[in-house]
Amino acid sequence: MALVMSLNSDMKSKSTIFLPEVVKPEIMNFIKEHGQSISLKKGDLVPKSILLNNFIYLKSGLLFYIKRTNNYTKPKFVNVITPKRLTDYHLLLENNCTCCKSIKVARDSDLIVVDKSLIKNLIKDDIELFTQFMFDANYFTERQTALAIFLLTSSPEDKLIKFLFDMLVVYKTEFSSPWLTIKIKLTREEIADILHISVIKLDLMMGSLKKQGLVTKQNGLLCVNTALFNELSPCPLGREDAQGCKSNNMLKFRTKNMIEINNQPLHIKIKQ
């Protein structure tokens, strides 16, 4: 069975789903050359006019990309956006409504906004770069779909473990000691929103992990014991790898699940 802890740093990065991928150098160069820099304070919302007509790149700080749902018990999905990433590849070629989406500035942040029309024109001016934008947009959407499926089908405990792992990877933590430090402070409410769970449930899980000696706090930062990730699969949906494709997460809680059943050899009796 493939284990996420055994992956190299590049493979760890590709196994994350809670945070978008770092923008590639050629796209980053285009953004810096053609974009406009703006600074926003913690608690600000990115104006809808900017959200609708521009790509938004985070230079420094922290953003929450919020998508409203129709479930009044869980009214929003929250993506955390760390530096060197785009908030979304939303509406790449169409200027449609963004009423269900908003971007909140979680920490004082510096952004670069790029008019989408400049990107559309690349189809005439630089087809290779335009193709790269389209490829990355599709990959972004794929990761977002994987995240949505993971959040809707995984246990709260698995969601917390996966999120902690992704945060460690994104902040380039060296997995070389038993205890690893998450290099950013997030509130209980922020983490609960990101995991799509209640604050009460988060408190119960964190309390349990502390009793097991798997998490602690040091200088106000959360520290995680690597033993927490022993059962974590490289696949964001819990599948082992291409060889097995059985869900570790599902198997832990449902010993007779459909994934296991579907992987059994099929025996068909043919009438002579």
Side-chain angles (χ1 to χ4, degrees):
M1 180 178 109
L3 294 176
V4 75
M5 287 293 293
S6 65
L7 302 179
N8 62 38
S9 58
D10 183 57
M11 293 175 71
K12 283 188 175 78
S13 179
K14 290 180 179 178
S15 76
T16 63
I17 53 171
F18 274 99
L19 300 103
E21 189 179 35
V22 171
V23 174
K24 291 183 173 61
E26 56 269 29
I27 292 179
M28 187 183 299
N29 292 337
F30 177 87
I31 289 171
K32 290 181 176 179
E33 182 178 349
H34 296 89
Q36 176 185 354
S37 296
I38 61 172
S39 296
L40 295 173
K41 294 293 184 182
K42 178 180 178 179
D44 288 346
L45 289 175
V46 175
K48 286 288 186 179
S49 58
I50 292 178
L51 178 61
L52 180 63
N53 299 307
N54 298 271
F55 268 39
I56 301 167
Y57 171 84
L58 180 62
K59 289 169 59 179
S60 64
L62 191 73
L63 300 176
F64 289 154
Y65 188 81
I66 302 168
K67 287 161 279 186
R68 194 180 70 231
T69 76
N70 291 322
N71 184 346
Y72 72 93
T73 64
K74 296 179 179 178
K76 59 187 177 182
F77 279 119
V78 176
N79 286 121
V80 57
I81 308 295
T82 55
K84 299 183 180 180
R85 289 164 171 79
L86 289 166
T87 57
D88 195 357
Y89 286 84
H90 64 287
L91 310 175
L92 180 59
L93 300 176
E94 299 293 335
N95 293 320
N96 292 325
C97 177
T98 60
C99 63
C100 64
K101 301 177 181 179
S102 61
I103 299 175
K104 182 179 180 181
V105 181
R107 308 289 184 271
D108 291 356
S109 298
D110 294 320
L111 289 67
I112 300 178
V113 297
V114 183
D115 193 310
K116 284 194 301 180
S117 64
L118 297 175
I119 299 167
K120 294 179 185 179
N121 289 336
L122 287 174
I123 197 168
K124 298 178 294 183
D125 303 331
D126 189 338
I127 189 63
E128 288 189 13
L129 187 56
F130 179 79
T131 302
Q132 185 65 63
F133 264 106
M134 294 299 294
F135 178 84
D136 286 3
N138 288 333
Y139 185 55
F140 180 95
T141 302
E142 179 183 315
R143 285 168 73 119
Q144 289 291 287
T145 301
L147 175 59
I149 294 171
F150 179 77
L151 289 173
L152 292 170
T153 60
S154 299
S155 70
E157 292 79 7
D158 282 344
K159 287 191 282 189
L160 176 59
I161 293 170
K162 177 61 176 165
F163 175 69
L164 294 176
F165 175 82
D166 283 11
M167 291 298 289
L168 287 165
V169 171
V170 140
Y171 282 96
K172 301 187 182 302
T173 306
E174 291 290 338
F175 284 68
S176 56
S177 62
W179 284 94
L180 310 173
T181 301
I182 296 178
K183 301 169 185 175
I184 185 171
K185 293 181 182 179
L186 293 172
T187 68
R188 297 156 57 241
E189 291 78 11
E190 289 170 345
I191 296 175
D193 279 342
I194 294 165
L195 299 183
H196 220 225
I197 61 175
S198 70
V199 175
I200 294 174
K201 179 60 179 176
L202 177 63
D203 287 344
L204 290 172
M205 290 191 297
M206 293 300 292
S208 175
L209 292 177
K210 286 178 182 177
K211 287 181 180 178
Q212 297 175 57
L214 294 173
V215 300
T216 187
K217 276 199 172 181
Q218 195 170 50
N219 299 323
L221 295 175
L222 186 65
C223 299
V224 184
N225 193 297
T226 54
L228 184 63
F229 307 123
N230 286 343
E231 296 294 322
L232 189 61
S233 164
C235 174
L237 299 184
R239 300 185 180 94
E240 293 176 3
D241 51 31
Q243 300 174 9
C245 201
K246 288 194 293 184
S247 168
N248 294 329
N249 295 331
M250 294 283 285
L251 285 173
K252 280 191 288 184
F253 299 104
R254 301 171 194 157
T255 57
K256 296 296 182 182
N257 64 81
M258 289 304 297
I259 293 177
E260 185 178 22
I261 292 171
N262 288 336
N263 277 309
Q264 299 301 317
L266 184 63
H267 300 285
I268 301 176
K269 292 183 178 180
I270 301 176
K271 292 182 178 180
Q272 300 294 329

